[in-house]
């Protein structure tokens, strides 16, 4: 019986993409932007912040390694919200619809500490999720199974009663390994809703 839905935040509730910030910086040159986001300000680097290291420390470390990119590296910290293009359409309606049906709604996100409180006020989707675990606050990041266990323990959730939604397959696979239902976010609320509804049928079983 499914009782709870757990949402990732970035690229499930909020449109987040480093290219929104860095493509204009590199004059619209997609190759230069892609090289920078793949090799300099890449996922391995910003996962350090998601895991609880401060932005100042991580920026300083990377600037020492890539001094030729000191300016755009600093932009990751100083203009972080320029990488966000708002709530993803339709996702607030899904959250509110679940709440109206009595389904538990939770969040599990990889997110840097310095920007999270502002994000809660900027984005209605995030602001409508009252129960969540943020990676930087527990110094763990998905897909580490330990962060899922933190959420389950904090809110007394049973994995077999949860469905987890994330845009990254590795994060969804980690949730499935713990016994949850898992959905890789298909790209829009319109596509997600029938998939989610088919899983929620198990609420009645």
């Amino acid at each position: 019986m499914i009782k709870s839905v757990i949402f990732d935040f970035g690229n499930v509730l909020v449109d987040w993409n480093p290219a929104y910030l860095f493509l204009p910086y590199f004059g619209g040159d997609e190759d230069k932007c892609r090289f920078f986001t793949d090799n300099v300000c890449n996922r391995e680097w910003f996962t350090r912040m998601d895991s609880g290291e401060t932005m100042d420390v991580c920026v300083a470390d990377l600037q020492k390694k890539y001094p030729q990119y000191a300016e755009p590296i600093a932009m990751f910290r100083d203009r972080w919200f320029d990488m966000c293009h708002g709530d993803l359409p339709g996702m607030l309606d899904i959250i509110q619809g679940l709440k109206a049906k009595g389904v538990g709604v939770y969040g599990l996100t990889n997110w840097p500490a310095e920007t999270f409180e502002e994000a809660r006020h900027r984005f209605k989707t995030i602001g409508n999720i009252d129960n969540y675990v943020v990676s930087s606050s527990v110094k763990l990041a998905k897909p580490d199974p330990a962060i899922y266990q933190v959420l389950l323990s904090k809110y007394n959730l049973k994995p077999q009663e949860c469905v987890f939604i994330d845009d990254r397959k590795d994060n969804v696979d980690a949730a499935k390994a713990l016994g949850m239902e898992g959905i890789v976010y298909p790209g829009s609320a319109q596509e997600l809703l029938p998939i989610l509804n088919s899983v929620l049928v198990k609420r009645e079983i």
Side-chain angles (χ1 to χ4, degrees), residues 1 39 41 45 70 92 102 104 114 143 161 166 171 174 184 187 193 200:
M1 180 177 181
N39 297 283
C41 282
W45 176 68
L92 181 59
E114 291 92 337
E161 296 177 346
D166 198 292
N171 293 340
V184 178
L193 191 57
L200 289 175

Side-chain angles (χ1 to χ4, degrees), residues 113-168:
E114 291 92 337
T115 64
F116 185 72
E117 281 305 310
E118 183 173 346
R120 287 186 64 242
H121 293 93
R122 275 184 180 241
F123 307 118
K124 291 182 179 179
T125 49
I126 295 176
N128 268 263
I129 295 184
D130 300 316
N131 300 315
Y132 51 81
V133 167
V134 179
S135 61
S136 53
S137 69
V138 295
K139 295 182 169 50
L140 296 166
K142 295 174 294 180
D144 186 336
I147 193 171
Y148 301 79
Q149 295 286 10
V150 169
L151 179 78
L152 295 171
S153 297
K154 182 176 182 179
Y155 296 108
N156 196 28
L157 303 176
K158 297 178 181 178
Q160 66 271 22
E161 296 177 346
C162 299
V163 56
F164 175 70
I165 304 168
D166 198 292
D167 64 307
R168 287 175 52 188

